[in-house]
Amino acid sequence: MLSSFSRHCTRKMSSAMLDALKATNGQTITCKAAVAWEAKKPLDVTDIQVAPPKAGEVRVKIISNALCHTDIYTLDGHDPEGLFPCVLGHEAAAIVESVGDGVTSVVVGDVVIPCYTPECKKHDCIFCQSPKTNLCPSIRSTQGQGLMPDGTSRLSKDGKQIFHFMGCSTFAEYAVIAEISAAKINPGADLDKMCLLGCGVATGWGAVFNNTKVEPGTTVAVFGLGALGLSVIQAAKCAGARYIVGVDINDAKFVKAVEMGATECVNSMTCEGGDVKAWLIGKEKWGYDYTFDCTGNVNVMRTALEVAHRGWGESCVIGVAAAGKEISTRPFQLVTGRNWKGTAFGGWKSRTEVPKLVQTVMRGEMPLEPYITHTFQGLENVNASIDALHGGECLRAVVHISDSGLTPSKLPKLKGNVRVDGGWMKQLSHWSEACNCEMTFSVFLPDQLARGAPPPPVLYYLSGLTCSDENARTKANFAAEAGKVGLAVVFPDTSPRGVNIPTQDDSWDFGSGAGFYVDATTEAWSGHYKMYTYITKELPELISGIFPVDPHRRSITGHSMGGHGAMIAHLKNPGMYSSVSAFAPICNPSAVPWGEKAFTGYLGSVDAGKAYDATELVKSYSGPKPCILIDQGTADGFMNNQLKPGNFSAACGEAGYPVQVRMQPLYDHSYYFIATFMRDHVDHHARALGLRPKL
């Protein structure tokens, strides 16, 4: 079965593009590549031959490639493992053209980021199974020799072997990589940006989030303000560091560093007194909680360690030193509590966690745009990109190599991101194709319970009349329990907003804030009011595409009109939801004034509304029958004339459908009622979703 990403990719990619990819399967491809025949010479853009993938391998069409200093470092002859001739490049985004025998994690048309740090995921790989590291050694020996796992190369020029580089070799129109090096990502991502996550920026983020785990309120010093150093600053700011100082020898870099989150910057050559170590200690008496070397200079590495905080400071080496260089310091620096560590690819487990980084960028939480200072069209301009990087003003130069045949998704706008009860409450707006307007929703994303834990399932909460996405998220008392069990909760809006329908704001129970979770068919409303399609199709696809959640395990609940929406979403889509519940739902809308008004206005008749009436739908329902939990307050003034839980209960009895209607004495229709019993509902869904044992 294809993953949700694969299905989405197949839908968006044209059949002509897929056919073009498949047309070369099993054949040797002659294509353009930038070959490094020897060190210190310009790359030669020439035709090479790329053989088909063997077992456990994937051939990819390169879409875009960002230039990393490691490529230049090797080309300049500084890499002790540098082999020539080779095809450089390792910071790229690509599309799978063909797969070798035994490959199951990707298919033709999938979008991937080739990763120089693989992840085999085997149960007997102690590195992949450990949360402490990402250093899977499965193909390290052959990768270091410039070869594929079987000890041979897939690259050649007129019969002459060409070495692979870092298991990637993406300065080419096509490349062959190991399956365990292919991180499958959302096909709606902008590949000219996401290629940056193949190395430098991801490494800086990971040094902060994974290797040192920078905490809120701490102090940070970053040495070297290129793209790598800026990514450390960006991540440290996101982590809540109190004071971040950037260190470089080029004052021109300071403005960008401050924009990315640095508190201040210092020139290590021209600072007051000429001693940057003294200057830094003058700012923080006992040193910095975390320091990062992003230069590759062993003398700077020593300075970074020695300004780390006495007793607990951590210094992380990120920059790659030249061949033969060694680091040194007095043992006293370590005896007095400083810790020296390093990072490779930021500690990210490539196939598992790079797709999550892509989602984070797509949500607008960690922008990549500030890093891209130069762009080039066509592989023939790769040497110009190298010149730009050498020029000193370039952070990342991106070379667009091929057309993907995919249209990047319209990304949501991040409106809020607030810490709450072991998770984050995020509010976003996005363009809805279903509703033909901008829609707002909120998502509670719980903290990951453990690094290797599966992604959380999702509970959709549909709100009632007059509400927006904000009411329940602030009043329903859900977060503590959802955070405890690891349950993501999505809060859609209750209708389109601001769409210029003349009567949309005339009443509180119809129009704005009262979409009734139907797909309108009447002329005035059908252009925008497609709330049923929005909550059952469009929004879940968006959520699974840009959030690290389980796309298959989902449940649904709601209040009043939202309870009606939850029950019909389940009854009209057997098996889509693992569980369903409701607070004081409108159980039989075709028989009550609210429903009669909504169905007549949106659908043209009450009779048409029976297709959205839970009491009618349950009579003919066929499919899995998870018990529906309903809580209803006995003091609810709407119960007898608008909600009619007895009608639904009776229909369930006749149909043999299990339902539990709990009449709660003296409770009304308000959020006080919802907040009181929310914990029970979260528990109900948690057990159905496998987060707790079933009773």
Side-chain angles (χ1 to χ4, degrees):
M1 179 188 296
L2 297 181
S3 71
S4 60
F5 278 177
S6 296
R7 290 194 301 271
H8 187 48
C9 181
T10 303
R11 283 197 302 273
K12 294 188 69 175
M13 181 176 286
S14 69
S15 58
M17 179 62 73
L18 279 172
D19 289 342
L21 291 171
K22 294 176 180 177
T24 50
N25 287 187
Q27 303 174 24
T28 295
I29 295 176
T30 296
C31 67
K32 296 293 183 185
V35 180
W37 294 107
E38 56 182 299
K40 304 183 188 302
K41 293 291 179 68
L43 299 178
D44 177 22
V45 179
T46 184
D47 285 340
I48 69 166
Q49 286 73 51
V50 181
K54 293 187 178 181
E57 298 174 0
V58 179
R59 188 162 63 184
V60 295
K61 178 182 180 180
I62 307 299
I63 304 305
S64 55
N65 196 109
L67 195 64
C68 177
H69 280 280
T70 305
D71 300 311
I72 309 309
Y73 167 84
T74 302
L75 184 60
D76 288 345
H78 300 310
D79 185 352
E81 291 188 349
L83 299 169
F84 299 93
C86 72
V87 174
L88 297 169
H90 66 288
E91 202 170 285
I95 293 178
V96 175
E97 175 268 345
S98 58
V99 300
D101 290 343
V103 171
T104 58
S105 63
V106 294
V107 298
V108 174
D110 277 346
V111 179
V112 299
I113 291 180
C115 296
Y116 71 90
T117 301
E119 183 188 4
C120 73
K121 298 187 180 183
K122 292 180 179 177
H123 292 293
D124 59 352
C125 177
I126 60 173
F127 296 90
C128 285
Q129 294 305 312
S130 171
K132 298 178 181 179
T133 186
N134 64 332
L135 298 178
C136 173
S138 296
I139 58 175
R140 180 68 187 91
S141 60
T142 51
Q143 183 169 305
Q145 298 171 43
L147 303 171
M148 294 302 293
D150 71 345
T152 63
S153 175
R154 303 292 165 268
L155 311 177
S156 62
K157 167 73 172 176
D158 300 329
K160 178 179 175 60
Q161 175 180 280
I162 297 174
F163 288 109
H164 295 261
F165 176 68
M166 295 179 70
C168 297
S169 290
T170 54
F171 283 175
E173 292 176 327
Y174 288 86
V176 177
I177 61 177
E179 177 188 14
I180 62 175
S181 300
K184 182 167 60 178
I185 67 169
N186 187 321
D190 185 338
L191 304 188
D192 287 344
K193 295 175 183 175
M194 297 307 170
C195 59
L196 271 65
L197 298 179
C199 183
V201 173
T203 299
W205 291 352
V208 171
F209 296 135
N210 298 325
N211 300 109
T212 59
K213 298 179 174 63
V214 171
E215 305 109 336
T218 53
T219 55
V220 173
V222 181
F223 294 79
L225 300 180
L228 185 57
L230 293 178
S231 66
V232 171
I233 289 172
Q234 183 184 29
K237 181 70 173 178
C238 181
R242 169 179 62 82
Y243 175 63
I244 305 169
V245 58
V247 184
D248 205 284
I249 60 174
N250 184 351
D251 289 5
K253 296 182 177 181
F254 294 172
V255 173
K256 178 69 74 173
V258 172
E259 289 176 359
M260 298 295 280
T263 310
E264 62 178 317
C265 298
V266 60
N267 189 313
S268 58
M269 303 290 287
T270 63
C271 63
E272 184 178 351
D275 183 348
V276 72
K277 188 163 24 172
W279 188 95
L280 290 165
I281 295 299
K283 294 286 185 177
E284 293 289 329
K285 178 180 179 181
W286 297 109
Y288 295 77
D289 297 308
Y290 301 98
T291 68
F292 299 86
D293 167 70
C294 305
T295 69
N297 184 306
V298 294
N299 297 315
V300 177
M301 294 175 191
R302 178 169 184 166
T303 299
L305 173 74
E306 294 178 359
V307 299
H309 203 292
R310 178 185 176 93
W312 60 73
E314 294 186 19
S315 186
C316 186
V317 175
I318 311 176
V320 179
K325 294 292 184 179
E326 296 181 349
I327 55 175
S328 64
T329 191
R330 292 184 301 141
F332 178 78
Q333 297 292 337
L334 304 180
V335 170
T336 49
R338 296 170 186 84
N339 295 281
W340 218 347
K341 59 175 54 177
T343 183
F345 194 45
W348 298 113
K349 292 181 181 290
S350 55
R351 291 199 291 161
T352 300
E353 294 175 336
V354 168
K356 297 178 184 179
L357 294 182
V358 170
Q359 292 176 322
T360 300
V361 173
M362 293 182 75
R363 295 196 300 271
E365 295 177 28
M366 298 288 279
L368 291 172
E369 289 85 352
Y371 299 99
I372 303 173
T373 55
H374 296 69
T375 57
F376 297 88
Q377 290 291 322
L379 191 60
E380 64 273 13
N381 289 310
V382 67
N383 284 307
S385 71
I386 293 173
D387 292 341
L389 198 63
H390 277 309
E393 296 182 356
C394 177
L395 292 175
R396 274 296 186 268
V398 174
V399 181
H400 181 82
I401 296 174
S402 304
D403 180 25
S404 68
L406 295 166
T407 302
S409 298
K410 294 179 181 178
L411 296 183
K413 302 179 187 70
L414 184 67
K415 301 176 69 175
N417 194 17
V418 181
R419 185 76 170 145
V420 57
D421 281 325
W424 291 88
M425 178 58 71
K426 304 171 187 289
Q427 186 182 49
L428 301 94
S429 67
H430 74 110
W431 179 262
S432 166
E433 297 294 339
C435 296
N436 195 28
C437 67
E438 195 76 6
M439 296 288 287
T440 298
F441 65 92
S442 293
V443 178
F444 172 75
L445 190 65
D447 293 341
Q448 193 171 10
L449 300 178
R451 187 171 187 181
V458 183
L459 173 64
Y460 288 83
Y461 181 98
L462 308 185
S463 291
L465 293 166
T466 75
C467 294
S468 69
D469 64 301
E470 296 189 8
N471 298 73
R473 71 174 198 167
T474 56
K475 299 178 181 179
N477 194 32
F478 76 93
E481 196 71 9
K484 185 186 300 183
V485 300
L487 178 63
V489 187
V490 176
F491 302 90
D493 202 349
T494 54
S495 77
R497 307 276 177 172
V499 292
N500 295 321
I501 297 174
T503 59
Q504 65 184 3
D505 297 320
D506 286 0
S507 60
W508 63 272
D509 57 356
F510 184 79
S512 295
F516 237 80
Y517 305 107
V518 302
D519 280 350
T521 56
T522 54
E523 183 177 357
W525 304 93
S526 61
H528 298 286
Y529 276 62
K530 300 290 187 181
M531 290 299 295
Y532 173 74
T533 294
Y534 179 69
I535 63 163
T536 60
K537 296 179 181 178
E538 185 180 25
L539 184 59
E541 185 171 284
L542 177 64
I543 295 297
S544 64
I546 66 171
F547 287 93
V549 298
D550 190 319
H552 307 295
R553 291 189 298 158
R554 69 178 77 159
S555 294
I556 193 164
T557 187
H559 170 233
S560 191
M561 178 185 72
H564 141 76
M567 293 197 297
I568 65 165
H570 159 61
L571 293 170
K572 289 171 73 68
N573 298 277
M576 179 179 288
Y577 303 98
S578 297
S579 52
V580 60
S581 72
F583 299 89
I586 304 173
C587 291
N588 194 182
S590 61
V592 302
W594 280 340
E596 291 170 357
K597 183 175 183 178
F599 292 158
T600 300
Y602 294 135
L603 304 173
S605 70
V606 173
D607 192 59
K610 291 181 179 180
Y612 295 96
D613 185 322
T615 298
E616 297 296 327
L617 289 169
V618 77
K619 296 174 182 177
S620 58
Y621 176 82
S622 176
K625 295 181 177 180
C627 180
I628 298 175
L629 172 64
I630 296 175
D631 273 314
Q632 173 65 60
T634 62
D636 187 332
F638 299 116
M639 179 173 64
N640 294 324
N641 66 329
Q642 298 282 18
L643 308 180
K644 297 191 179 295
N647 290 10
F648 182 69
S649 182
C652 287
E654 293 176 6
Y657 193 105
V659 61
Q660 182 183 15
V661 180
R662 305 193 308 184
M663 303 302 295
Q664 304 294 356
L666 305 180
Y667 283 92
D668 61 10
H669 200 69
S670 71
Y671 274 96
Y672 295 115
F673 157 64
I674 298 170
T676 301
F677 300 102
M678 176 58 76
R679 183 175 178 178
D680 291 351
H681 285 245
V682 172
D683 181 73
H684 171 76
H685 297 294
R687 295 185 188 281
L689 292 164
L691 299 176
R692 284 176 172 164
K694 291 186 177 180
L695 296 175

